[in-house]
Amino acid sequence: MTNDRQPESAAARDDDLALVLVGGGARAAYQVGFLRALVKKHPTIRLSIITGTSAGAINATYLASQVGPLSEAVDGLVQLWRRQRVDQVFRVDGRSLLSLVVRWGVRLISGGGSLAPQVRGLLDTAPLRRFLEHALQPTDSGEFVGIARNIAACRLRAVAITTSSYTTGRSVVWVQGADIENWERPNRRSRQTAITIDHVMASAALPLFFPAIELDDGWYGDGGIRMLAPCSPAIHLGARRIIAISNRCRNSTEEADVRHYPPPAQIAGQMIQSMFLDDLDRDAFSLQRLNRLLAALPPDQHQGLRPVDLVVVRPSRDLGRLAGEFEPQLPWLFRHLTRGLGSRETTSPDLLSLLMFQEDYIDRLMEIGAEDAETQGDRVAALLERRPG
């Protein structure tokens, strides 16, 4: 985290509040419920810097591309999620699922022979692209006119979308903003660009499950794979106050209950936790330690570093465990395949929760987000009242 701090002169501005939205598939609906309640309590809030990873990139792009009041943008995001269905994210019809299962099976037993079929993911996400194109309304080139307008009008300082390069193994943060300088750190770097629908699709391309997306110089996938410092893009862009919304309950790992050999769904769930949900906790811990160190040093020994106030909001309930309650409503064949992976053999099916784009589950996540905005609102209010020192 130390090297991610920017000189004081780069951050001494009023537009220092950032929103950090991490990944988590369908669990990102929790972010929307929290934001809706937050905007109702603080109608004048201004989010000058918005960063997103994976499903959080969808939320970030939508908010950054709306030219109206923030309250209207959040209401629109709520309606977008309420229209979301499993079959609008990936194909769940029998023909498509069975075809993919057969192609993967042939691929595995072919030994890499010349007749091996090409596969680009366990699921076909063409419906998600169509859904996002309808919801976000990009231009023919895939860009979002609203982002450029908001930046030009100084309503938005920058938006950043994180992806992972399958070519280099590095995290690449795609940034659109005003007066932005590129940065580079071990295994991660930034690139200035006009954010497009392809960047959003790449950031949300869950490894193996969703196909990778080809961008300027290679193939890219989910931004959570190698993003070890989720707050880093916001800090590089000048944030001094950050609201980061996690999709993980603090005690979720303690509640998992697997009495027998862990099924594939449980193992995959732990991998998902590591890739998408743990990094924010580690990043927050490092940031807090560095803030304390800076507070103990005289200003002339800060070496250009600056304190950053961070509030991490997290669900009061285990969203993985909650997904199990809504599993029976999934489309039959898709539900059958996930049960084959052992989704019913664990009390906290985290993998299933990422793919649970069910109306009832999404509504419940937004309700929990709104409830948590009430119970955790004091910390956010205190952050909004603070100004750079």
Side-chain angles (χ1 to χ4, degrees):
M1 286 294 301
T2 304
N3 292 335
D4 293 336
R5 305 305 184 96
Q6 296 297 301
E8 294 283 351
S9 60
R13 302 172 54 167
D14 293 333
D15 53 348
D16 69 314
L17 180 62
L19 176 67
V20 174
L21 301 173
V22 299
R27 295 163 78 129
Y30 170 83
Q31 301 170 349
V32 181
F34 185 92
L35 286 172
R36 189 183 196 189
L38 175 67
V39 172
K40 286 183 178 179
K41 293 182 66 175
H42 305 280
T44 61
I45 186 173
R46 179 187 175 195
L47 301 172
S48 298
I49 301 167
I50 304 176
T51 73
T53 302
S54 192
I58 296 175
N59 291 339
T61 302
Y62 186 91
L63 293 175
S65 63
Q66 303 304 301
V67 297
L70 181 59
S71 59
E72 292 182 5
V74 174
D75 285 342
L77 192 56
V78 169
Q79 297 307 314
L80 183 149
W81 275 92
R82 283 180 171 165
R83 295 196 306 270
Q84 191 69 281
R85 300 291 184 274
V86 173
D87 58 3
Q88 291 178 320
V89 179
F90 46 84
R91 293 184 60 182
V92 293
D93 58 283
R95 180 177 179 180
S96 175
L97 289 177
L98 290 176
S99 173
L100 287 169
V101 169
V102 170
R103 290 172 66 85
W104 273 94
V106 173
R107 175 79 179 186
L108 290 173
I109 66 175
S110 68
S114 59
L115 298 180
Q118 186 181 54
V119 289
R120 292 191 173 185
L122 289 168
L123 298 169
D124 182 352
T125 56
L128 177 60
R129 176 179 285 272
R130 291 193 295 269
F131 181 82
L132 292 180
E133 287 176 343
H134 176 75
L136 301 177
Q137 298 183 342
T139 64
D140 292 340
S141 62
E143 299 178 15
F144 304 103
V145 175
I147 293 179
R149 288 180 178 173
N150 285 332
I151 293 172
C154 297
R155 291 187 293 264
L156 179 70
R157 184 170 176 180
V159 58
I161 302 299
T162 303
T163 62
S164 299
S165 171
Y166 286 128
T167 303
T168 66
R170 306 173 77 190
S171 285
V172 179
V173 182
W174 305 87
V175 181
Q176 184 173 351
D179 302 323
I180 302 302
E181 295 183 3
N182 283 329
W183 67 86
E184 186 164 354
R185 297 292 183 269
N187 294 320
R188 49 193 170 98
R189 58 170 297 194
S190 71
R191 294 184 60 177
Q192 296 186 51
T193 189
I195 301 296
T196 69
I197 191 74
D198 283 335
H199 294 106
V200 179
M201 288 291 296
S203 185
L206 187 65
L208 293 180
F209 285 90
F210 293 178
I213 302 296
E214 187 174 17
L215 298 178
D216 296 347
D217 56 354
W219 293 89
Y220 288 80
D222 200 300
I225 298 175
R226 295 292 299 273
M227 190 54 176
L228 301 180
C231 295
S232 170
I235 295 173
H236 279 293
L237 294 171
R240 300 195 63 175
R241 297 174 298 159
I242 298 175
I243 302 172
I245 306 181
S246 174
N247 296 318
R248 177 180 179 177
C249 177
R250 185 179 297 277
N251 64 343
S252 60
T253 56
E254 299 174 1
E255 296 179 355
D257 181 16
V258 180
R259 296 184 175 86
H260 306 289
Y261 188 85
Q266 179 68 19
I267 297 173
Q270 294 298 324
M271 295 173 62
I272 293 299
Q273 294 270 16
S274 176
M275 283 191 295
F276 304 119
L277 305 179
D278 291 348
D279 291 335
L280 182 57
D281 294 331
R282 290 191 290 264
D283 204 17
F285 179 75
S286 298
L287 187 57
Q288 291 167 358
R289 293 186 65 185
L290 194 48
N291 282 342
R292 289 195 295 267
L293 177 61
L294 291 174
L297 293 173
D300 60 354
Q301 295 183 25
H302 286 189
Q303 299 184 25
L305 304 180
R306 55 186 167 81
V308 177
D309 291 330
L310 169 67
V311 170
V312 177
V313 176
R314 62 181 69 252
S316 55
R317 291 194 58 183
D318 185 338
L319 304 187
R321 181 183 292 269
L322 183 66
E325 301 176 15
F326 296 91
E327 183 263 359
Q329 281 72 52
L330 285 169
W332 175 83
L333 182 56
F334 180 68
R335 183 177 71 243
H336 181 76
L337 294 174
T338 59
R339 288 180 178 180
L341 293 174
S343 63
R344 303 194 73 182
E345 298 173 40
T346 171
T347 57
S348 186
D350 291 305
L351 176 62
L352 184 64
S353 69
L354 269 68
L355 305 174
M356 183 67 72
F357 293 93
Q358 286 290 111
E359 180 181 8
D360 44 8
Y361 180 63
I362 286 173
D363 282 343
R364 186 68 187 109
L365 294 189
M366 289 195 287
E367 289 174 3
I368 296 173
E371 294 167 1
D372 291 346
E374 293 295 327
T375 59
Q376 303 179 45
D378 291 345
R379 294 188 299 126
V380 177
L383 178 75
L384 297 179
E385 292 174 359
R386 290 195 288 270
R387 289 293 182 267

